[in-house]
PDB file of all heavy atoms in Angstrom:
ATOM      1  N   LEU A  21      61.792-111.665 -12.516  1.00  0.00           N
ATOM      2  CA  LEU A  21      62.744-111.029 -11.552  1.00  0.00           C
ATOM      3  C   LEU A  21      62.979-109.594 -12.055  1.00  0.00           C
ATOM      4  O   LEU A  21      63.148-109.318 -13.266  1.00  0.00           O
ATOM      5  CB  LEU A  21      64.141-111.693 -11.700  1.00  0.00           C
ATOM      6  CG  LEU A  21      64.240-113.155 -10.990  1.00  0.00           C
ATOM      7  CD1 LEU A  21      65.673-113.587 -11.116  1.00  0.00           C
ATOM      8  CD2 LEU A  21      63.986-113.034  -9.564  1.00  0.00           C
ATOM      9  N   CYS A  26      67.867 -98.492 -11.631  1.00  0.00           N
ATOM     10  CA  CYS A  26      68.795 -97.574 -11.712  1.00  0.00           C
ATOM     11  C   CYS A  26      69.080 -96.703 -10.417  1.00  0.00           C
ATOM     12  O   CYS A  26      67.962 -96.409  -9.802  1.00  0.00           O
ATOM     13  CB  CYS A  26      68.414 -96.657 -12.862  1.00  0.00           C
ATOM     14  SG  CYS A  26      68.593 -97.480 -14.590  1.00  0.00           S
ATOM     15  N   ALA A  50      74.354 -89.127 -26.331  1.00  0.00           N
ATOM     16  CA  ALA A  50      73.092 -89.730 -26.786  1.00  0.00           C
ATOM     17  C   ALA A  50      73.209 -90.315 -28.076  1.00  0.00           C
ATOM     18  O   ALA A  50      72.615 -91.331 -28.262  1.00  0.00           O
ATOM     19  CB  ALA A  50      71.967 -88.659 -26.750  1.00  0.00           C
ATOM     20  N   LEU A  67      74.356-114.456 -35.882  1.00  0.00           N
ATOM     21  CA  LEU A  67      74.072-113.574 -36.986  1.00  0.00           C
ATOM     22  C   LEU A  67      72.890-113.885 -37.961  1.00  0.00           C
ATOM     23  O   LEU A  67      72.369-113.256 -38.721  1.00  0.00           O
ATOM     24  CB  LEU A  67      75.410-113.329 -37.743  1.00  0.00           C
ATOM     25  CG  LEU A  67      76.426-112.439 -37.158  1.00  0.00           C
ATOM     26  CD1 LEU A  67      77.724-112.318 -37.852  1.00  0.00           C
ATOM     27  CD2 LEU A  67      75.869-110.954 -36.977  1.00  0.00           C
ATOM     28  N   THR A  70      70.330-112.144 -36.297  1.00  0.00           N
ATOM     29  CA  THR A  70      70.400-110.655 -35.816  1.00  0.00           C
ATOM     30  C   THR A  70      71.020-109.845 -36.966  1.00  0.00           C
ATOM     31  O   THR A  70      70.681-108.614 -36.799  1.00  0.00           O
ATOM     32  CB  THR A  70      71.268-110.541 -34.508  1.00  0.00           C
ATOM     33  OG1 THR A  70      72.688-111.256 -34.752  1.00  0.00           O
ATOM     34  CG2 THR A  70      70.674-111.245 -33.245  1.00  0.00           C
ATOM     35  N   ILE A  74      70.385-105.740 -37.530  1.00  0.00           N
ATOM     36  CA  ILE A  74      71.487-104.886 -37.630  1.00  0.00           C
ATOM     37  C   ILE A  74      71.472-104.039 -38.876  1.00  0.00           C
ATOM     38  O   ILE A  74      71.659-102.712 -38.951  1.00  0.00           O
ATOM     39  CB  ILE A  74      72.820-105.560 -37.230  1.00  0.00           C
ATOM     40  CG1 ILE A  74      72.715-106.227 -35.853  1.00  0.00           C
ATOM     41  CG2 ILE A  74      74.012-104.595 -37.361  1.00  0.00           C
ATOM     42  CD1 ILE A  74      74.009-107.177 -35.480  1.00  0.00           C
ATOM     43  N   ASN A  81      69.618 -95.642 -40.179  1.00  0.00           N
ATOM     44  CA  ASN A  81      70.351 -94.628 -39.347  1.00  0.00           C
ATOM     45  C   ASN A  81      71.827 -94.371 -39.801  1.00  0.00           C
ATOM     46  O   ASN A  81      72.731 -94.656 -39.125  1.00  0.00           O
ATOM     47  CB  ASN A  81      70.393 -95.066 -37.860  1.00  0.00           C
ATOM     48  CG  ASN A  81      68.973 -95.313 -37.329  1.00  0.00           C
ATOM     49  OD1 ASN A  81      68.392 -94.285 -36.861  1.00  0.00           O
ATOM     50  ND2 ASN A  81      68.427 -96.422 -37.343  1.00  0.00           N
ATOM     51  N   ALA A  95      83.647-120.049 -29.680  1.00  0.00           N
ATOM     52  CA  ALA A  95      83.618-119.476 -28.433  1.00  0.00           C
ATOM     53  C   ALA A  95      84.794-119.647 -27.577  1.00  0.00           C
ATOM     54  O   ALA A  95      85.269-118.808 -26.761  1.00  0.00           O
ATOM     55  CB  ALA A  95      82.292-120.039 -27.717  1.00  0.00           C
ATOM     56  N   GLY A 122      80.663-117.785 -23.557  1.00  0.00           N
ATOM     57  CA  GLY A 122      81.591-116.670 -23.897  1.00  0.00           C
ATOM     58  C   GLY A 122      81.320-115.563 -22.870  1.00  0.00           C
ATOM     59  O   GLY A 122      82.095-114.819 -22.442  1.00  0.00           O
ATOM     60  N   ILE A 127      83.158-112.491 -18.209  1.00  0.00           N
ATOM     61  CA  ILE A 127      82.908-112.076 -16.838  1.00  0.00           C
ATOM     62  C   ILE A 127      84.015-112.365 -15.925  1.00  0.00           C
ATOM     63  O   ILE A 127      84.528-111.607 -15.212  1.00  0.00           O
ATOM     64  CB  ILE A 127      81.579-112.372 -16.435  1.00  0.00           C
ATOM     65  CG1 ILE A 127      80.534-111.734 -17.126  1.00  0.00           C
ATOM     66  CG2 ILE A 127      81.458-112.043 -14.880  1.00  0.00           C
ATOM     67  CD1 ILE A 127      79.147-112.238 -16.912  1.00  0.00           C
ATOM     68  N   ALA A 152      61.141-115.087 -18.445  1.00  0.00           N
ATOM     69  CA  ALA A 152      62.317-115.995 -18.597  1.00  0.00           C
ATOM     70  C   ALA A 152      63.530-115.232 -18.979  1.00  0.00           C
ATOM     71  O   ALA A 152      64.671-115.392 -18.506  1.00  0.00           O
ATOM     72  CB  ALA A 152      62.016-117.066 -19.573  1.00  0.00           C
ATOM     73  N   VAL A 166      70.475-109.385 -22.891  1.00  0.00           N
ATOM     74  CA  VAL A 166      69.939-110.629 -23.585  1.00  0.00           C
ATOM     75  C   VAL A 166      69.216-110.224 -24.874  1.00  0.00           C
ATOM     76  O   VAL A 166      68.445-109.108 -24.850  1.00  0.00           O
ATOM     77  CB  VAL A 166      68.676-111.279 -22.710  1.00  0.00           C
ATOM     78  CG1 VAL A 166      67.889-112.177 -23.475  1.00  0.00           C
ATOM     79  CG2 VAL A 166      69.377-111.897 -21.478  1.00  0.00           C
ATOM     80  N   LEU A 226      69.831-136.698 -12.027  1.00  0.00           N
ATOM     81  CA  LEU A 226      70.417-137.757 -11.209  1.00  0.00           C
ATOM     82  C   LEU A 226      70.157-137.442  -9.667  1.00  0.00           C
ATOM     83  O   LEU A 226      70.594-138.121  -8.792  1.00  0.00           O
ATOM     84  CB  LEU A 226      71.915-137.703 -11.459  1.00  0.00           C
ATOM     85  CG  LEU A 226      72.320-138.174 -12.919  1.00  0.00           C
ATOM     86  CD1 LEU A 226      73.823-138.060 -13.045  1.00  0.00           C
ATOM     87  CD2 LEU A 226      71.921-139.614 -13.109  1.00  0.00           C
ATOM     88  N   ASP A 239      78.624-134.930  -7.352  1.00  0.00           N
ATOM     89  CA  ASP A 239      79.203-136.181  -7.320  1.00  0.00           C
ATOM     90  C   ASP A 239      78.587-137.292  -8.241  1.00  0.00           C
ATOM     91  O   ASP A 239      79.363-137.981  -8.920  1.00  0.00           O
ATOM     92  CB  ASP A 239      79.202-136.735  -5.878  1.00  0.00           C
ATOM     93  CG  ASP A 239      80.090-135.919  -4.918  1.00  0.00           C
ATOM     94  OD1 ASP A 239      80.812-135.096  -5.369  1.00  0.00           O
ATOM     95  OD2 ASP A 239      79.974-136.050  -3.641  1.00  0.00           O
ATOM     96  N   GLU A 253      83.145-142.557 -28.408  1.00  0.00           N
ATOM     97  CA  GLU A 253      84.495-142.548 -29.180  1.00  0.00           C
ATOM     98  C   GLU A 253      85.254-141.238 -29.015  1.00  0.00           C
ATOM     99  O   GLU A 253      86.450-141.361 -28.900  1.00  0.00           O
ATOM    100  CB  GLU A 253      84.176-142.938 -30.596  1.00  0.00           C
ATOM    101  CG  GLU A 253      85.508-143.257 -31.480  1.00  0.00           C
ATOM    102  CD  GLU A 253      85.151-143.462 -32.883  1.00  0.00           C
ATOM    103  OE1 GLU A 253      83.870-143.785 -33.240  1.00  0.00           O
ATOM    104  OE2 GLU A 253      86.148-143.427 -33.651  1.00  0.00           O
ATOM    105  N   PRO A 256      83.175-134.132 -30.462  1.00  0.00           N
ATOM    106  CA  PRO A 256      83.587-133.034 -31.360  1.00  0.00           C
ATOM    107  C   PRO A 256      83.643-131.718 -30.695  1.00  0.00           C
ATOM    108  O   PRO A 256      83.226-131.528 -29.540  1.00  0.00           O
ATOM    109  CB  PRO A 256      82.330-133.003 -32.272  1.00  0.00           C
ATOM    110  CG  PRO A 256      81.582-134.398 -32.069  1.00  0.00           C
ATOM    111  CD  PRO A 256      81.924-134.736 -30.709  1.00  0.00           C
ATOM    112  N   ASP A 272      73.886-142.785 -33.776  1.00  0.00           N
ATOM    113  CA  ASP A 272      72.503-142.989 -33.649  1.00  0.00           C
ATOM    114  C   ASP A 272      71.788-142.082 -32.715  1.00  0.00           C
ATOM    115  O   ASP A 272      70.472-141.892 -32.793  1.00  0.00           O
ATOM    116  CB  ASP A 272      72.041-144.465 -33.346  1.00  0.00           C
ATOM    117  CG  ASP A 272      72.709-145.392 -34.325  1.00  0.00           C
ATOM    118  OD1 ASP A 272      72.841-145.108 -35.635  1.00  0.00           O
ATOM    119  OD2 ASP A 272      73.126-146.479 -33.896  1.00  0.00           O
ATOM    120  N   ASN A 283      66.345-126.714 -36.502  1.00  0.00           N
ATOM    121  CA  ASN A 283      67.119-126.112 -37.553  1.00  0.00           C
ATOM    122  C   ASN A 283      67.778-127.137 -38.469  1.00  0.00           C
ATOM    123  O   ASN A 283      67.691-127.069 -39.796  1.00  0.00           O
ATOM    124  CB  ASN A 283      68.032-125.105 -37.058  1.00  0.00           C
ATOM    125  CG  ASN A 283      68.802-124.418 -38.100  1.00  0.00           C
ATOM    126  OD1 ASN A 283      69.950-124.552 -38.211  1.00  0.00           O
ATOM    127  ND2 ASN A 283      68.125-123.499 -38.982  1.00  0.00           N
ATOM    128  N   ARG A 285      67.085-130.268 -39.158  1.00  0.00           N
ATOM    129  CA  ARG A 285      66.103-130.844 -40.024  1.00  0.00           C
ATOM    130  C   ARG A 285      65.559-129.954 -41.128  1.00  0.00           C
ATOM    131  O   ARG A 285      65.321-130.413 -42.325  1.00  0.00           O
ATOM    132  CB  ARG A 285      64.893-131.334 -39.153  1.00  0.00           C
ATOM    133  CG  ARG A 285      65.230-132.457 -38.248  1.00  0.00           C
ATOM    134  CD  ARG A 285      64.006-132.992 -37.553  1.00  0.00           C
ATOM    135  NE  ARG A 285      63.366-132.255 -36.654  1.00  0.00           N
ATOM    136  CZ  ARG A 285      62.087-131.918 -36.659  1.00  0.00           C
ATOM    137  NH1 ARG A 285      61.315-132.434 -37.600  1.00  0.00           N
ATOM    138  NH2 ARG A 285      61.689-131.020 -35.828  1.00  0.00           N
ATOM    139  N   THR A 306      67.280-123.279 -19.301  1.00  0.00           N
ATOM    140  CA  THR A 306      66.968-122.264 -20.251  1.00  0.00           C
ATOM    141  C   THR A 306      68.296-121.605 -20.775  1.00  0.00           C
ATOM    142  O   THR A 306      69.323-121.797 -20.268  1.00  0.00           O
ATOM    143  CB  THR A 306      66.022-121.009 -19.695  1.00  0.00           C
ATOM    144  OG1 THR A 306      66.786-120.540 -18.463  1.00  0.00           O
ATOM    145  CG2 THR A 306      64.848-121.671 -19.191  1.00  0.00           C
ATOM    146  N   SER A 318      85.399 -97.237 -27.686  1.00  0.00           N
ATOM    147  CA  SER A 318      85.223 -95.723 -27.517  1.00  0.00           C
ATOM    148  C   SER A 318      83.826 -95.349 -27.207  1.00  0.00           C
ATOM    149  O   SER A 318      82.784 -96.102 -27.443  1.00  0.00           O
ATOM    150  CB  SER A 318      85.661 -95.004 -28.807  1.00  0.00           C
ATOM    151  OG  SER A 318      84.631 -95.175 -29.839  1.00  0.00           O
ATOM    152  N   LEU A 333      65.823-105.015 -29.557  1.00  0.00           N
ATOM    153  CA  LEU A 333      64.907-105.474 -28.607  1.00  0.00           C
ATOM    154  C   LEU A 333      63.573-104.953 -28.769  1.00  0.00           C
ATOM    155  O   LEU A 333      62.667-105.377 -28.030  1.00  0.00           O
ATOM    156  CB  LEU A 333      65.364-105.100 -27.222  1.00  0.00           C
ATOM    157  CG  LEU A 333      66.717-105.880 -26.691  1.00  0.00           C
ATOM    158  CD1 LEU A 333      67.104-105.245 -25.237  1.00  0.00           C
ATOM    159  CD2 LEU A 333      66.416-107.336 -26.474  1.00  0.00           C
ATOM    160  N   ILE A 341      63.480-113.411 -34.894  1.00  0.00           N
ATOM    161  CA  ILE A 341      64.374-114.519 -34.403  1.00  0.00           C
ATOM    162  C   ILE A 341      63.789-115.842 -34.683  1.00  0.00           C
ATOM    163  O   ILE A 341      64.436-116.781 -34.619  1.00  0.00           O
ATOM    164  CB  ILE A 341      64.557-114.179 -32.909  1.00  0.00           C
ATOM    165  CG1 ILE A 341      65.279-112.851 -32.671  1.00  0.00           C
ATOM    166  CG2 ILE A 341      65.077-115.453 -32.180  1.00  0.00           C
ATOM    167  CD1 ILE A 341      65.410-112.521 -31.279  1.00  0.00           C
ATOM    168  N   THR A 357      54.514-112.738 -31.254  1.00  0.00           N
ATOM    169  CA  THR A 357      53.825-113.989 -31.550  1.00  0.00           C
ATOM    170  C   THR A 357      54.153-114.570 -32.953  1.00  0.00           C
ATOM    171  O   THR A 357      54.598-113.850 -33.696  1.00  0.00           O
ATOM    172  CB  THR A 357      52.303-113.831 -31.420  1.00  0.00           C
ATOM    173  OG1 THR A 357      51.881-112.808 -32.315  1.00  0.00           O
ATOM    174  CG2 THR A 357      51.871-113.609 -29.994  1.00  0.00           C
ATOM    175  N   PRO A 375      54.468-130.828 -31.727  1.00  0.00           N
ATOM    176  CA  PRO A 375      53.509-130.599 -30.708  1.00  0.00           C
ATOM    177  C   PRO A 375      53.902-131.104 -29.339  1.00  0.00           C
ATOM    178  O   PRO A 375      53.385-130.708 -28.329  1.00  0.00           O
ATOM    179  CB  PRO A 375      52.330-131.391 -31.342  1.00  0.00           C
ATOM    180  CG  PRO A 375      52.778-132.420 -32.348  1.00  0.00           C
ATOM    181  CD  PRO A 375      54.053-131.807 -32.880  1.00  0.00           C
ATOM    182  N   LEU A 380      56.041-131.243 -22.903  1.00  0.00           N
ATOM    183  CA  LEU A 380      57.177-131.112 -22.081  1.00  0.00           C
ATOM    184  C   LEU A 380      57.440-129.880 -21.323  1.00  0.00           C
ATOM    185  O   LEU A 380      57.790-129.841 -20.254  1.00  0.00           O
ATOM    186  CB  LEU A 380      58.467-131.321 -23.076  1.00  0.00           C
ATOM    187  CG  LEU A 380      58.664-132.830 -23.602  1.00  0.00           C
ATOM    188  CD1 LEU A 380      59.752-132.655 -24.767  1.00  0.00           C
ATOM    189  CD2 LEU A 380      59.124-133.670 -22.560  1.00  0.00           C
ATOM    190  N   VAL A 396      82.360-121.689 -15.735  1.00  0.00           N
ATOM    191  CA  VAL A 396      83.793-121.873 -16.033  1.00  0.00           C
ATOM    192  C   VAL A 396      84.345-122.840 -15.283  1.00  0.00           C
ATOM    193  O   VAL A 396      85.139-123.748 -15.861  1.00  0.00           O
ATOM    194  CB  VAL A 396      84.494-120.534 -15.741  1.00  0.00           C
ATOM    195  CG1 VAL A 396      85.959-120.762 -15.892  1.00  0.00           C
ATOM    196  CG2 VAL A 396      84.041-119.393 -16.685  1.00  0.00           C
ATOM    197  N   ALA A 398      82.753-125.535 -14.225  1.00  0.00           N
ATOM    198  CA  ALA A 398      82.116-126.909 -14.794  1.00  0.00           C
ATOM    199  C   ALA A 398      82.861-127.186 -16.083  1.00  0.00           C
ATOM    200  O   ALA A 398      83.236-128.466 -16.254  1.00  0.00           O
ATOM    201  CB  ALA A 398      80.735-126.741 -15.061  1.00  0.00           C
ATOM    202  N   LYS A 401      86.363-128.594 -15.163  1.00  0.00           N
ATOM    203  CA  LYS A 401      86.391-129.884 -14.687  1.00  0.00           C
ATOM    204  C   LYS A 401      86.042-130.992 -15.655  1.00  0.00           C
ATOM    205  O   LYS A 401      86.536-132.081 -15.767  1.00  0.00           O
ATOM    206  CB  LYS A 401      85.429-129.969 -13.413  1.00  0.00           C
ATOM    207  CG  LYS A 401      85.512-131.302 -12.620  1.00  0.00           C
ATOM    208  CD  LYS A 401      84.920-131.116 -11.266  1.00  0.00           C
ATOM    209  CE  LYS A 401      85.148-132.461 -10.395  1.00  0.00           C
ATOM    210  NZ  LYS A 401      84.618-132.255  -9.133  1.00  0.00           N
TER     211      LYS A 401
END
Side-chain angles (χ1 to χ4, degrees):
L21 290 180
C26 293
L67 285 175
T70 55
I74 298 167
N81 298 277
I127 290 174
V166 169
L226 297 172
D239 291 348
E253 182 179 350
D272 303 322
N283 181 252
R285 290 190 293 126
T306 57
S318 73
L333 288 173
I341 295 175
T357 56
L380 286 172
V396 170
K401 190 161 184 176

